[in-house]
């Protein structure tokens, strides 16, 4: 199955303020190299490079703005909202993605019975390109850490007849809450 690349920054799982000054991925060049099977790295040829001022171009990524499919306390924003809030930025050689670390999120219900916000404003993007193989190089200067954050770089297989998580998921980099190291996990289904 062809796999899209997904980068996400999930927000807080509680209503407390996050006391992290810099909560985002910094320096996010993604280089995709393709070759034939198990050959030496010198035989790979760069096919795509995702680092420049057009990193967030709509032809490259879609911004997930629906409810979190894993039911997290997060409110994913589109590109315009994320840019205006300072949660995304791209230059010729550096990309920044981050969750809102300033807003106090109160998920309590209003007096009129209306629900509070979905959660911490954050960013989740998915590549428009899909891949059946390759060598993926991700160079990060910083990965967010702290109470309630869930940064991830992952891939999954899906088509209209086999929606996630039918074909499983490969969490290449996943940091959870206050973890001091990242996890790499392959999820499969029966």
């Amino acid at each position: 199955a062809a796999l899209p690349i997904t980068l996400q920054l999930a927000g807080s799982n509680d209503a407390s303020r996050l006391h992290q000054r810099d909560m985002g991925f910094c320096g996010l060049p993604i280089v995709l190299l393709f070759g034939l099977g198990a050959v030496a790295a010198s035989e790979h040829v760069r096919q795509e490079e995702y680092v420049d001022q057009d990193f967030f171009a709509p032809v490259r990524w879609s911004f997930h703005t629906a409810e979190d499919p894993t039911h997290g306390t997060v409110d994913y924003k589109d590109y315009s909202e994320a840019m205006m809030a300072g949660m995304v930025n791209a230059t010729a050689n550096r990309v920044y993605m981050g969750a809102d670390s300033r807003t106090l999120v109160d998920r309590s219900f209003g007096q009129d019975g209306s629900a509070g916000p979905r959660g911490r404003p954050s960013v989740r993007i998915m590549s428009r390109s899909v891949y059946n193989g390759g060598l993926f190089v991700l160079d990060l200067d910083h990965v967010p850490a702290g109470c309630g954050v869930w940064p991830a770089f992952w891939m999954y297989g899906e088509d209209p007849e086999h929606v996630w998580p039918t074909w499983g998921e490969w969490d290449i980099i996943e940091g959870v809450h206050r973890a001091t190291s990242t996890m790499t996990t392959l999820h499969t289904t029966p």
Side-chain angles (χ1 to χ4, degrees), residues 6-160:
T6 303
L7 293 167
Q8 79 179 30
L9 288 170
S12 175
N13 289 329
D14 58 32
S16 65
R17 179 180 299 272
L18 294 178
H19 298 286
Q20 248 353 78
R21 280 190 23 213
D22 181 10
M23 299 250 329
F25 286 110
C26 291
L28 189 69
I30 299 173
V31 179
L32 307 178
L33 304 172
F34 294 88
L36 301 172
V39 296
S42 63
E43 294 181 34
H44 285 88
V45 177
R46 181 182 301 175
Q47 296 292 317
E48 297 179 62
E49 184 172 14
Y50 284 76
V51 61
D52 58 30
Q53 62 275 7
D54 295 324
F55 179 87
F56 294 108
V59 296
R60 290 182 170 173
W61 305 100
S62 64
F63 278 71
H64 179 88
T65 57
E67 290 282 339
D68 182 22
T70 61
H71 312 292
T73 307
V74 63
D75 186 11
Y76 290 119
K77 299 298 182 184
D78 64 22
Y79 172 74
S80 295
E81 291 175 296
M83 187 180 71
M84 294 291 288
M87 293 188 294
V88 296
N89 184 32
T91 65
N93 58 3
R94 193 169 215 80
V95 173
Y96 172 83
M97 289 176 52
D100 175 3
S101 63
R102 295 179 176 90
T103 305
L104 178 62
V105 177
D106 183 0
R107 299 250 346 220
S108 60
F109 289 90
Q111 289 185 356
D112 62 356
S114 62
R118 291 192 296 195
R120 177 144 327 275
S122 193
V123 179
R124 176 177 173 169
I125 61 175
M126 186 171 69
S127 68
R128 295 206 184 266
S129 298
V130 294
Y131 306 94
N132 288 316
L135 171 65
F136 301 86
V137 178
L138 178 66
D139 182 9
L140 300 171
D141 292 337
H142 172 76
V143 176
C147 181
V149 298
W150 198 309
F153 175 69
W154 52 291
M155 296 180 175
Y156 65 95
E158 175 176 82
D159 69 17

